[in-house]
Amino acid sequence: MHARRALLYVPGDDWHKINKALTFGVDCICLDMEDGVAPSRKEAARENIARALRELDFGASEKLARINAVGSGLEEADLTAALPHRPDGIVLPKVEDAAQVEWVSQRIEEAERAHDWPVGSIRLLVDVETARGIVNLKEIAAHPRLDALIFGAEDLAASLGATRTPEAWEVFYARSAVVLHAKAFGLEAIDMVTVEFHDVERVRREAAFGAQLGYTGKQIIHPNQVKPVQEAFTPDEEAIAQARRIVEAFEAHQREGRGAFALDGRMIDLPLVKAAQNVLERARAAGKL
Ligand code: COA
Ligand code: MG
């Protein structure tokens, strides 16, 4: 599994920022053609993104391209610009139903066949960020090409007529529904953007809370956010050591034919062992084991 602890957006029309993004050591770079790009700059973004995919060395960073929404009238040209240059994946914003996911998946498959690339090798991630998208999560998440669900809090608040607050209770139901559906269908779950990019403590706090909810990563928009977010989704040494102790103690008790047992004054049974295994899995995905 590719660890996508931080997914950095870069406006596709900004060649300087695209080059700069390659130096951050971020897990995942998403070259944007959608809301990070002004309507008059869409064509410039397509040209830059095609060139970047063709010419630049992304090192260990995954390279994604975000197209405009299905129905925007821009989606076909966006795909035509990006797909021939073989991004690792496409991000589809404002997804509202399974038919939109299927339409993009078909276009991707045509490109894969035309270039003799393995079918299914280009990943698809979707931003769920409208009321209708949340209501249709089950049919969206079931699509076989999907790799991850991404939660968009700002767009959702706009779609609801809600007011964004630092506590984010106005989007909590949806934020929780996205991670729930991702896990139900074996997908990664990538949490909302913290738009206050000068406030490093805030992004650290929001990332830690996202990780508590079960999110596997977070969208970011600025270099300030790379380190705190990648750290928040990487178990620290203490968490890894504790998870190891739980798993080892569990295995020893299993051999003796015992299920639940006590460790440091806490009852440990299967759900806690699974949680410990999740910690080890995340450590492994982050290259720490
Ligand atoms: N990707 C790559 N480089 C970035 C970056 C990003 N997302 N955001 C900032 N940088 C670079 C800047 O170019 C600048 O580089 P420089 O010193 O070589 O000029 C450096 O990091 C510091 O940036 P700073 O001056 O603090 O911010 P800014 O005013 O240039 O940009 C934003 C602020 C919000 C416009 C910018 O962070 C941005 O474009 N973010 C992504 C927006 C986006 O894609 N939104 C859609 C998805 S939600
Ligand atoms: Mg959005």
Side-chain angles (χ1 to χ4, degrees):
M1 186 183 80
H2 195 104
R4 288 191 191 103
R5 296 165 299 181
L7 183 159
L8 172 73
Y9 288 106
V10 187
D13 61 329
D14 191 331
W15 188 247
H16 173 75
K17 282 196 175 81
I18 295 176
N19 279 278
K20 189 107 186 169
L22 304 178
T23 66
F24 299 156
V26 68
D27 294 331
C28 184
I29 296 174
C30 182
L31 305 174
D32 191 24
M33 289 173 262
E34 202 222 6
D35 288 349
V37 176
S40 63
R41 299 282 297 163
K42 299 290 185 190
E43 191 48 42
R46 291 183 190 123
E47 285 167 16
N48 268 337
I49 290 173
R51 181 174 163 211
L53 292 172
R54 211 169 44 233
E55 294 178 8
L56 301 181
D57 181 2
F58 282 69
S61 303
E62 185 181 37
K63 43 183 179 182
L64 304 177
R66 183 164 78 167
I67 64 170
N68 285 276
V70 175
S72 64
L74 302 168
E75 64 275 29
E76 185 98 54
D78 293 345
L79 284 169
T80 304
L83 282 173
H85 308 290
R86 205 178 188 177
D88 294 322
I90 294 290
V91 178
L92 174 63
K94 298 185 180 65
V95 66
E96 302 213 301
D97 58 43
Q100 296 178 342
V101 183
E102 178 56 19
W103 183 84
V104 176
S105 179
Q106 290 285 339
R107 300 286 88 69
I108 295 175
E109 184 169 335
E110 284 163 20
E112 287 168 338
R113 290 189 190 284
H115 292 90
D116 244 341
W117 302 330
V119 170
S121 58
I122 296 183
R123 305 165 195 136
L124 181 57
L125 300 80
V126 293
D127 293 338
V128 189
E129 50 189 350
T130 62
R132 189 177 286 268
I134 298 296
V135 166
N136 289 334
L137 264 170
K138 196 169 159 184
E139 62 167 70
I140 292 167
H143 195 282
R145 187 181 288 265
L146 282 196
D147 219 40
L149 301 182
I150 304 172
F151 174 57
E154 311 309 319
D155 275 298
L156 182 75
S159 154
L160 295 178
T163 305
R164 287 284 286 114
T165 66
E167 296 74 27
W169 287 114
E170 64 285 353
V171 296
F172 185 71
Y173 169 76
R175 190 181 185 189
S176 198
V178 168
V179 66
L180 183 76
H181 285 80
K183 298 308 166 94
F185 290 89
L187 307 175
E188 282 181 31
I190 303 177
D191 200 12
M192 59 198 219
V193 173
T194 302
V195 295
E196 296 78 5
F197 61 84
H198 289 301
D199 190 345
V200 176
E201 275 321 302
R202 176 159 174 178
V203 76
R204 197 188 300 281
R205 217 169 39 242
E206 282 193 3
F209 186 64
Q212 273 175 33
L213 291 177
Y215 274 94
T216 47
K218 184 173 175 71
Q219 303 163 83
I220 63 172
I221 51 161
H222 190 275
N224 275 350
Q225 300 182 322
V226 175
K227 197 157 174 278
V229 168
Q230 296 204 156
E231 278 173 8
F233 289 96
T234 307
D236 60 23
E237 297 305 329
E238 199 184 322
I240 294 171
Q242 182 62 9
R244 278 209 163 111
R245 277 188 74 215
I246 292 173
V247 170
E248 282 162 15
F250 173 75
E251 283 166 0
H253 284 85
Q254 286 286 94
R255 282 194 293 276
E256 292 165 14
R258 288 170 58 196
F261 61 96
L263 187 71
D264 303 332
R266 266 205 321 165
M267 185 276 289
I268 307 288
D269 67 354
L270 210 51
L272 282 93
V273 174
K274 283 188 183 149
Q277 283 163 340
N278 285 340
V279 170
L280 298 178
E281 177 62 35
R282 279 197 287 127
R284 219 169 280 123
K288 281 191 84 172
L289 284 183

